Amino acid sequence: AEMPLISVPKEVAVGTAMLGVAFATGVLAGKRRLPSPAIFTETKNSPLRQYILDHSLREHPILKKLRLLTAEHPWGRMMVSCEQAQLMANLVKLIKAKKVIEIGVFTGYNALNMALVLPDNGQVIACDINEDYAKIGRPLWKEAGVEHKIDLRIKPAIQTLDELLANGEAETFDFAFIDADKENYNEYYEKCLHLIKKGGIIAIDNVFWNGKVLKPRKDDLAAQSIHHLNEKLLRDARVNISMLPVGDGVTLAFKL
């Protein structure tokens, strides 16, 4: 069955899209200055971020267990922020998603968050190239009773996406989350756009890249790649967008 579109008044949808465009255009044109990127990306110990967590985070006990376990890892900072993961799960639930793609799994905190809200026959196609990280989260997926919903594929994500397209799964997914190697962001986006249904959502993480997108260095391929995709998304008539100052910045692209 085709996924129902989000039911909102046309004026609200148009107004939201126009606000997002106006904000992004103002930033790109230099007419509005963003606050310091540290406000968004380096606030783990700030009183304001703690207030956000204290007054909005509703974390499943096993999610918390995995978050704390991941925080002990030398690369723990790669984990998506818990408030952002909660937003992704809420969006997945809002659109009644059944099929989800995640590009970049790490220990699987975000995959677990989404799997918890999917129906029992729902599925997260989880793409990564490092099985060692995922081994940290897999026992907790099982403990939460959702391991059967997470299909972990250890190979380059582009290969997995191409296989899904070749298998005739274009326009059958409801939601995609992109958070892997930044140099391939544009290709991930394009392939996900083919895989996502109309009315589906693509969430793109790290769109601020710790503020480096403001003046990308020529030798910083990651910042260059993200900046180019940010500019492309602003003008992409195939989607409506909202760029949000959550975590290290996340853009939501709603397929038209």
Side-chain angles (χ1 to χ4, degrees), residues 166-182:
N167 289 339
E169 296 190 60
E171 297 192 338
T172 65
F173 286 83
D174 306 297
F175 188 90
F177 183 76
I178 301 174
D179 182 20
D181 54 304
K182 312 311 171 188

Side-chain angles (χ1 to χ4, degrees), residues 141-162:
W141 302 346
K142 186 175 183 179
E143 185 178 343
V146 297
E147 186 181 24
H148 65 287
K149 300 183 191 178
I150 303 174
D151 181 359
L152 180 63
R153 303 194 182 185
I154 303 297
K155 63 179 72 173
I158 288 173
Q159 185 178 335
T160 296
L161 299 176
D162 283 338

Side-chain angles (χ1 to χ4, degrees), residues 42-254:
E42 297 175 1
T43 56
K44 288 187 177 180
N45 299 315
S46 78
L48 181 57
R49 182 168 188 267
Q50 191 58 52
Y51 183 90
I52 291 170
L53 298 181
D54 290 343
H55 292 82
S56 70
L57 186 62
R58 298 178 177 179
E59 194 174 39
H60 189 286
I62 298 177
L63 272 173
K64 182 177 181 179
K65 194 173 178 179
L66 180 52
R67 175 170 58 83
L68 296 177
L69 190 62
T70 304
E72 297 174 359
H73 192 278
W75 293 99
R77 66 182 182 276
M78 292 199 307
M79 185 181 71
V80 64
S81 69
C82 49
E83 67 271 26
Q84 180 178 331
Q86 180 171 286
L87 173 60
M88 299 305 106
N90 282 335
L91 289 171
V92 165
K93 190 173 182 179
L94 175 68
I95 63 175
K96 297 179 172 62
K98 291 185 178 179
K99 292 181 70 177
V100 172
I101 302 168
E102 180 173 54
I103 302 173
V105 179
F106 192 38
T107 64
Y109 179 85
N110 193 53
L112 174 57
N113 221 323
M114 294 188 292
L116 283 166
V117 300
L118 287 174
D120 195 58
N121 63 346
Q123 189 176 52
V124 179
I125 303 295
C127 308
D128 211 304
I129 57 172
N130 190 318
E131 192 167 13
D132 290 338
Y133 295 151
K135 284 179 180 177
I136 296 171
R138 190 188 285 276
L140 296 178
W141 302 346
K142 186 175 183 179
E143 185 178 343
V146 297
E147 186 181 24
H148 65 287
K149 300 183 191 178
I150 303 174
D151 181 359
L152 180 63
R153 303 194 182 185
I154 303 297
K155 63 179 72 173
I158 288 173
Q159 185 178 335
T160 296
L161 299 176
D162 283 338
E163 289 171 355
L164 293 171
L165 290 167
N167 289 339
E169 296 190 60
E171 297 192 338
T172 65
F173 286 83
D174 306 297
F175 188 90
F177 183 76
I178 301 174
D179 182 20
D181 54 304
K182 312 311 171 188
E183 291 83 355
N184 282 314
Y185 258 33
N186 182 67
E187 194 161 1
Y188 294 148
Y189 168 70
E190 287 295 335
K191 291 183 186 298
C192 284
L193 200 58
H194 287 297
L195 287 163
I196 293 292
K197 298 175 181 178
K198 289 182 179 179
I201 303 171
I202 301 174
I204 305 162
D205 197 21
N206 300 120
V207 295
F208 294 164
W209 201 231
N210 199 29
K212 295 176 183 177
V213 292
L214 295 176
K215 290 184 179 180
R217 297 196 321 267
K218 290 183 179 180
D219 62 342
D220 189 340
L221 297 181
Q224 290 279 355
S225 175
I226 296 169
H227 175 61
H228 290 323
L229 181 57
N230 288 344
E231 289 191 321
K232 171 180 173 174
L233 286 167
L234 176 61
R235 299 170 178 83
D236 194 340
R238 299 171 295 177
V239 294
N240 281 337
I241 64 167
S242 288
M243 180 183 282
L244 306 176
V246 179
D248 190 28
V250 59
T251 293
L252 304 178
F254 303 84

